[in-house]
Amino acid sequence: MIATLLFVVFLVMMLVGVPIGAALGLAGATAIALANLDAQWFGLLAVPQNFYAGLGKYPLLAIPMFVLVGSIFDRSGVALRLVNFAIAIIGRGPGMLPVVVIAVAMLMGGISGSGPATAAAVGGVMIATMTRSGYPPAFSASVVGAAASIDILIPPSIAFIIYSVLVPGASVPAMFAAGMLPGLLVGLALMVPSVWLSRRHHLGQQVAQLPRPPFWASLREASWGLAAPVLILGGMRAGWFTPTEAAVVAVFYGLFVGMVIYRTIKVRDLFHILRESGELSAIILLVVALAGIFAYSLSTLGIVDPVTQAIVNSGLGEYGVLALLILMLVAVGMFLDGISIFLIFVPLLLPIVNFYHWDPVWFGVLLTLMVALGQFTPPIAVNLMVSCRIAGVRMEESVRWVLWLMAALLCVLLLVIIFPSLALWLPTRLGY
């Protein structure tokens, strides 16, 4: 009865518009209170204890820093310089600007790890350029929104940090390494329908008046941005710093590039950057803390084991269960953001992962691929929401283009299921 009430309270609050974090925390606290009526107020002590426990994890310290890194590089002009360098290599021919968008988003993914931040940075530079070149704004917004979803796969990734906190046996370095190859595959897969659609519908024909940037000058300007992923990932691999320390190093590197090299960030801009990053970090960590209360109520009420037994005894078999989970999570991804999906479903799915002896690192990559898909799948689609706002179009106008990009990402998801080594080869090779 209390278990049913837990989900009913959560769903009702979600439907009436209560923020996801508050809905998780209030539903969990209600269930804990009802389960400890005899203990009077003492049972409710579990609420603040689990609120603190949800935050008291060392890897979570990296999240505010990587959010700050994304804001710093967004304002420093790195995205514009990376775009010019990519155009210098690829050119502006028919179908080439979408390739530039995806390539730059992949590079930005190695810096910030935040999809909406990359959608804002790349979209702010590229959507206007693509519109001048003859691409419909809805198409441009679709490509930017889909490309930005790669950021949670290519390290450093906030989603991987949260997953590693929730799942024993999936360390942050292992998850970072596991996401690299699938992230590159997603980027290549998105390029295929982007170029095909551009050429099929004769998009991007108005490029004659837009000159191609000189290669060496563009390389020199972009070199500081290109060096950021090498510093972050190379430093972790060399053992110079942990992922959490790498985030701090990246912050100081970004400030050095923005304030000393490019001089696009002034001292007066720091307050706005810190405030913007602090607000976003507070939202993420508050949801994480409140989800800890929800997860505690799930475990103490004994909900997880019956759900696990019902699924594994359903007669679907291992791959049938996996297909069911994919369909469920893709559908959920249309309405919830990635962090919420991790916090709500990982505690429920972990016993299933253990039952079938699935590698937790491999499953984390699968789950992150599904979350990436949800980031540009209407109606919520946080990345697509940002890019559509920049393009000045309604999200409904992008659906005809987004469906092709969704199909490309689903192909990569299928490949990772069939060939787990796509996710596991690099962490195994690196000894994680």
Side-chain angles (χ1 to χ4, degrees), residues 153-198:
L153 286 161
I154 293 180
S157 165
I158 293 173
F160 282 152
I161 294 172
I162 291 178
Y163 181 83
S164 68
V165 168
L166 297 172
V167 179
S171 66
V172 174
M175 293 305 305
F176 280 5
M180 182 67 76
L181 186 55
L184 295 175
L185 288 175
V186 170
L188 294 173
L190 291 177
M191 290 178 184
V192 174
S194 298
V195 174
W196 178 72
L197 288 169
S198 298

Side-chain angles (χ1 to χ4, degrees), residues 6 120 166 174 196 206 221 259 296 309 335 344 402 422 429:
L6 171 68
L166 297 172
W196 178 72
Q206 303 170 20
E221 285 289 308
M259 300 183 74
Y296 175 80
Q309 292 302 318
F335 301 94
I344 295 170
V402 162
L422 290 174
R429 183 80 174 175

